[in-house]
Amino acid sequence: MRPTHVLFVGASGSVGRYAVREGITQGYRVRALVRDKSHECFGPNVEICEGDRKNAGDMRRALDGIDGIVFTMGANGGPTLNEDVDYGAVKNALDALDGCRARIALMTAIGLAADMDTEYNRTTQAHDWKRRSERLVRASGNEYTIVRPGWFDMEGDDEHHIRFQQDQRHVCTGPDDGAIARRQIAQTLVAALGCEEANRKTFNLVDELGQPQSDAELVPMFAALEADPQDGSLDGYDDPDNFPLHAQPKRVREELEHVEAMAHAAETTAHARH
């Protein structure tokens, strides 16, 4: 079901600002979560919600009446910051939903699953925490689309044609492995919200030679993607088996179990009502 009222988490970021504008363009009621509303100006059609994504009360208030969420936050630091931002925002939002349903579009990163043993990831744990955030979304029982964009705004001058990829075993080392414009990341995330063909899909997003597509032209591209497996692994389509659930930190396993329990309780309640 297409949502109507969408919360943008990471709204003040370099992709989030485009996503908020795209939400307005695509006809959604838009709410932007920001830390300090005095520093933000999104225009009269955007509801500003001031709050901290790490505060449970702020997240519950931000999600009141919401039936769609676009996550575009991203950290560029060490393991603690990456956990707080990339993983923590998703965990706290799902906790605040407490089993209520929302259509989710989550931005992570290209090469996420294949790049677990690179020097960059060993140092920052950036892909570890992004991959854990993806698993929370898949476990939540919500409809979702997970977009793994390439390097931001590093495409060629004549490369504007959006391409979806599902080769998740290729280690990406730089823009030559895939780049994409920030505005097209935003377009894809918001277009996925109202598209049944995008549900339960995880894919890389890059630009290639050619002209940009309309939202309508993205629909058959979503439809052509393989859905994520329903085998209990909670990984995306074609993700290598290199990040076993049993090897995750205890708190991560407990948080994942909590999200699954909320999803099960919500499903049981829904069946009882029918």
Side-chain angles (χ1 to χ4, degrees):
M1 182 179 296
R2 177 185 168 94
T4 58
H5 199 165
V6 180
L7 176 69
F8 289 78
V9 181
S12 59
S14 66
V15 175
R17 293 181 179 279
Y18 282 106
V20 167
R21 291 197 290 269
E22 187 68 26
I24 293 295
T25 298
Q26 294 194 24
Y28 291 105
R29 295 174 60 195
V30 169
R31 182 181 297 165
L33 178 63
V34 301
R35 282 176 290 183
D36 186 349
K37 64 182 180 182
S38 67
H39 293 164
E40 306 297 343
C41 183
F42 290 106
N45 295 321
V46 177
E47 177 188 357
I48 303 297
C49 181
E50 188 176 65
D52 186 344
R53 62 179 176 269
K54 293 184 288 185
N55 182 286
D58 287 352
M59 287 302 295
R60 282 193 295 271
R61 182 166 49 85
L63 285 161
D64 184 38
I66 290 293
D67 58 359
I69 311 173
V70 177
F71 291 102
T72 58
M73 67 286 160
N76 185 20
T80 299
L81 182 61
N82 288 323
E83 177 180 359
D84 285 348
V85 175
D86 294 321
Y87 175 83
V90 174
K91 179 185 75 69
N92 293 338
L94 294 175
D95 283 345
L97 283 173
D98 194 24
C100 293
R101 290 293 180 240
R103 184 69 161 84
I104 294 173
L106 172 66
M107 179 187 81
T108 57
I110 194 171
L112 183 76
D115 293 359
M116 307 303 293
D117 195 35
T118 61
E119 179 62 28
Y120 167 75
N121 190 51
R122 287 194 297 271
T123 302
T124 66
Q125 297 179 22
H127 287 181
D128 290 15
W129 289 112
K130 283 183 170 69
R131 195 162 177 185
R132 289 167 182 148
S133 75
E134 291 188 353
R135 286 175 170 173
L136 287 177
V137 169
R138 296 189 187 101
S140 71
N142 290 291
E143 295 184 351
Y144 69 86
T145 306
I146 295 173
V147 178
R148 297 170 171 175
W151 273 256
F152 297 173
D153 288 337
M154 298 187 73
E155 72 282 2
D157 291 340
D158 52 357
E159 294 175 344
H160 306 295
H161 194 80
I162 291 172
R163 180 158 59 95
F164 299 162
Q165 300 174 328
Q166 285 189 303
D167 175 10
Q168 304 298 355
R169 298 168 187 268
H170 175 67
V171 176
C172 298
T173 59
D176 288 343
D177 293 306
I180 183 74
R182 285 175 169 88
R183 59 180 174 78
Q184 291 185 300
I185 301 172
Q187 177 192 3
T188 303
L189 287 164
V190 179
L193 284 179
C195 181
E196 177 59 30
E197 289 83 354
N199 187 27
R200 293 195 305 109
K201 306 287 179 71
T202 299
F203 56 93
N204 296 336
L205 175 64
V206 299
D207 268 337
E208 62 183 3
L209 185 67
Q211 296 301 306
Q213 300 99 310
S214 67
D215 295 343
E217 289 174 309
L218 297 184
V219 174
M221 296 169 58
F222 285 129
L225 295 169
E226 296 287 344
D228 290 341
Q230 301 294 293
D231 58 2
S233 71
L234 299 179
D235 281 326
Y237 174 78
D238 198 46
D239 283 351
D241 184 16
N242 58 359
F243 201 55
L245 288 170
H246 66 80
Q248 302 307 305
K250 182 174 184 289
R251 70 183 186 282
V252 170
R253 298 196 307 271
E254 290 173 346
E255 288 158 357
L256 191 58
E257 290 169 0
H258 176 62
V259 167
E260 290 177 317
M262 287 192 297
H264 178 71
E267 184 179 357
T268 300
T269 300
H271 286 163
R273 287 172 179 168
H274 289 85

